[in-house]
Amino acid sequence: MRKIKYLFGLVLILMACATKEKRKNSEFVKKLDNTTKPNIVIILTDDQGYGDVGFNGCKDISTPNIDRIAANGVKFTNGYVSYAVCGPSRAGLITGRYQDRFGFCRNPLFAPKDSNMGLPLSEQTLAEALKGGGYQTMAIGKWHLGAHESLRPLNRGFDEFFGFLTGGHNYFPKDLVFNDLSELKGQWDPYRTKLLRNNNRVEEQEYLTDALSREAVAFVERNQENPFFLYLAYNAPHSPLQATEKYLQRFDHIKDKKRKTYAAMVSAVDDGVGALLNSLEALNIDKNTLVFFLSDNGGPELDNSSDNRELREGKGSLFEGGIRVPFAMQWPVKIPRGSVYNEPVISLDIFATATELVQVTPKSEIDGVNLIPFLTSKNSGVPHKQLFWRKYDDQSIAMRSGNMKLVQHKTPNKELYNLADDVSETVMLKDSILFNQLSTAFDNWDAKNSEPTFLGLIHGKQFDSINPGRWMDIEKY
Ligand code: CA
């Protein structure tokens, strides 16, 4: 009997020890998870040309801080966005899906009463996905994914927002005069609304780009103990071209006034990128933070004096100048410093990379892929055998398959180019077999796409015909 009691006691002691150990282990795992979950930062610029960063060979505008990202990690020489203008490109980036899948085929109008004018609620944003992984999230700057109350950042997975809802904004605080959307009379008036902090209008004293950078640094400092996702969407260097003397005086060597102002705006972004990187380093969280840098579309060279270098055309076009952008990323714990990656990648890959690292499952089928295995040579294949673009209203299309590009943009027929030796898309190839193969592949991709779900900026005339003061109240365009 005594022996049985002894054995029973021993079992109880062992069980208690095991439970304690298990608890200790799970606490350890929990702690490990929280300290090893990478932070995700996306720095998006607006209408910056492929050639307008130092890491792509820019000579007249110095971008030492943006270049730090490429030097700390990788530059993508064939980095794309999923559309050639702002809104749809952002819809693709933030969902990891070709925006044509869900009808975001146009640049949205500013229509705060129209719940269809923006990113459909059926779609999951990267912020919503990362919330599932315990992340703190903030969107800063340009939103452009819907001005209706239901479509604003705080309803799309972001804990915090500082910025503006429309497709662009004035930069000087003195120009920000509207307190309430009811004061707006025209489609471009939202450029002059006071900024929003979450859902409240605030008085801003700083040049807009500096204000956005300040908010980014403050968010990182506030969340240094948490895994976080920061979506820093500068509207610079999108027009209107406005810069302060602090930045203009750096560019006395540029005689063209437009280019000089553009350069100053890029330089302001570069300072902000520097402040953000410095902050990550000072807090000792830079090593495990993924920082992506890219522009939302190619430069509109005539409009803002950007430079897409040898790429053909620019913003709005499906030739390379419209969709190939300056693109770099760093993640010091994994990606070798100073890497150069030449295979095609696309903004959709950011969603896929982030969700896979954080181990959250996307709600829908995504079109991007996790880039890390390709950047660490674990996977020697290519991330994408083919990439596709569609501009619904122009009936423009493009696809890239290896180095071959099929494109039709304001041309009578589809054209075939070999980007390996003709990055400027000047020499049309005549290869009917390949032409037919790629055309069929495009049609197969396009068969899964949706019709547009809202009118766009190109329908501005229709929009402007509505009596001033009335358009703000219309619930469906
Ligand atoms: Ca843009």
Side-chain angles (χ1 to χ4, degrees):
M1 190 66 188
R2 191 179 295 165
K3 205 171 179 182
I4 291 170
K5 268 187 177 171
Y6 171 76
L7 281 173
F8 185 66
L10 192 65
V11 168
L12 281 179
I13 290 166
L14 285 173
M15 277 173 67
C17 285
T19 309
K20 198 175 168 190
E21 189 61 25
K22 202 171 160 191
R23 198 182 311 130
K24 248 171 80 182
N25 279 344
S26 80
E27 276 166 12
F28 177 70
V29 168
K30 200 172 159 197
K31 197 174 167 197
L32 194 70
D33 279 350
N34 277 337
T35 52
T36 55
K37 277 181 180 173
N39 304 306
I40 311 288
V41 175
I42 301 175
I43 304 170
L44 187 66
T45 57
D46 198 351
D47 290 8
Q48 186 174 10
Y50 181 81
D52 290 326
V53 287
F55 68 78
N56 279 348
C58 188
K59 296 279 182 264
D60 60 344
I61 309 170
S62 170
T63 57
N65 293 300
I66 296 170
D67 296 347
R68 268 164 77 184
I69 298 172
N72 289 339
V74 57
K75 80 165 175 176
F76 299 106
T77 57
N78 287 258
Y80 291 95
V81 284
S82 61
Y83 201 81
V85 303
C86 317
S89 169
R90 285 150 199 268
L93 185 154
I94 210 74
T95 61
R97 283 155 56 78
Y98 284 115
Q99 62 284 345
D100 296 281
R101 303 280 193 226
F102 47 88
F104 202 124
C105 314
R106 294 168 170 150
N107 227 0
L109 289 155
F110 188 78
K113 293 285 170 72
D114 183 353
S115 60
N116 288 309
M117 187 67 76
L119 185 69
L121 293 171
S122 56
E123 297 303 313
Q124 182 187 40
T125 69
L126 180 54
E128 286 162 343
L130 293 178
K131 282 308 292 174
Y135 276 58
Q136 289 296 304
T137 57
M138 183 171 190
I140 296 177
K142 168 165 156 175
W143 180 239
H144 210 198
L145 293 170
H148 186 269
E149 238 175 319
S150 65
L151 303 176
R152 295 180 189 181
L154 297 194
N155 282 330
R156 305 315 307 264
F158 289 100
D159 298 313
E160 297 180 63
F161 174 57
F162 180 85
F164 50 92
L165 299 170
T166 190
H169 217 73
N170 281 48
Y171 293 85
F172 297 131
K174 68 175 175 50
D175 295 331
L176 311 185
V177 293
F178 295 115
N179 277 300
D180 190 274
L181 298 185
S182 63
E183 298 166 30
L184 309 182
K185 300 292 178 212
Q187 187 58 205
W188 302 103
D189 282 354
Y191 272 50
R192 295 188 296 130
T193 51
K194 289 179 184 174
L195 300 179
L196 285 169
R197 182 179 298 285
N198 299 327
N199 289 319
N200 303 313
R201 300 277 164 201
V202 290
E203 299 290 337
E204 179 55 59
Q205 306 299 329
E206 287 197 86
Y207 176 60
L208 180 55
T209 301
D210 294 344
L212 303 183
S213 303
R214 176 197 70 214
E215 294 295 324
V217 170
F219 172 75
V220 165
E221 287 175 352
R222 277 201 300 282
N223 289 284
Q224 55 184 288
E225 304 287 339
N226 312 310
F228 61 77
F229 167 44
L230 170 62
Y231 174 59
L232 173 56
Y234 287 108
N235 57 315
H238 188 292
S239 59
L241 293 180
Q242 296 172 342
T244 55
E245 197 50 40
K246 173 184 172 186
Y247 300 112
L248 285 166
Q249 51 95 15
R250 296 176 184 176
F251 297 96
D252 284 343
H253 58 282
I254 301 179
K255 297 303 165 205
D256 179 82
K257 197 180 164 205
K258 209 171 183 185
R259 176 76 178 167
K260 180 175 175 172
T261 311
Y262 173 86
M265 294 167 79
V266 170
S267 198
V269 170
D270 190 73
D271 273 23
V273 171
L276 182 57
L277 295 179
N278 289 347
S279 158
L280 293 170
E281 287 167 16
L283 297 169
N284 203 23
I285 52 174
D286 59 307
K287 301 284 185 300
N288 199 25
T289 300
L290 282 85
V291 180
F292 296 89
F293 175 89
L294 72 166
S295 176
D296 69 335
N297 48 253
E301 294 180 326
L302 292 177
D303 177 52
N304 69 356
S305 205
S306 51
D307 181 7
N308 301 315
R309 236 175 51 181
E310 70 271 36
L311 304 182
R312 181 169 167 181
E313 301 191 356
K315 178 178 182 178
S317 171
L318 295 186
F319 287 104
E320 292 291 290
I323 51 178
R324 196 192 292 205
V325 294
F327 199 152
M329 75 175 285
Q330 69 173 59
W331 187 25
V333 292
K334 288 281 181 192
I335 301 172
R337 285 178 59 82
S339 304
V340 177
Y341 194 72
N342 295 317
E343 299 296 342
V345 302
I346 190 162
S347 52
L348 311 178
D349 298 332
I350 295 172
F351 188 110
T353 304
T355 50
E356 204 163 313
L357 294 178
V358 177
Q359 298 178 341
V360 289
T361 308
K363 192 174 124 187
S364 312
E365 186 189 349
I366 55 173
D367 293 304
V369 299
N370 176 10
L371 293 175
I372 301 305
F374 299 94
L375 301 175
T376 52
S377 303
K378 277 196 177 155
N379 189 332
S380 58
V382 297
H384 300 276
K385 287 186 177 146
Q386 296 174 324
L387 291 173
F388 303 92
W389 295 265
R390 181 181 85 154
K391 281 192 82 186
Y392 182 88
D393 292 303
D394 292 350
Q395 298 192 313
S396 295
I397 66 112
M399 75 168 287
R400 181 164 172 173
S401 178
N403 283 319
M404 308 310 290
K405 170 106 176 261
L406 184 74
V407 56
Q408 180 172 19
H409 182 76
K410 298 182 179 170
T411 51
N413 300 302
K414 291 179 200 149
E415 300 172 351
L416 190 62
Y417 297 97
N418 183 352
L419 298 177
D421 51 22
D422 180 24
V423 74
S424 303
E425 299 166 281
T426 56
V427 184
M428 257 189 273
L429 302 181
K430 299 203 184 328
D431 180 336
S432 57
I433 295 174
L434 184 62
F435 184 93
N436 290 335
Q437 278 175 357
L438 297 192
S439 295
T440 303
F442 181 87
D443 291 343
N444 289 340
W445 172 77
D446 195 27
K448 290 194 231 161
N449 287 332
S450 301
E451 297 285 299
T453 52
F454 52 79
L455 294 179
L457 277 181
I458 58 159
H459 306 98
K461 273 192 184 162
Q462 189 177 333
F463 193 90
D464 288 340
S465 67
I466 297 163
N467 292 332
R470 238 196 75 201
W471 60 268
M472 287 292 302
D473 298 324
I474 290 184
E475 290 183 1
K476 174 124 177 73
Y477 285 93

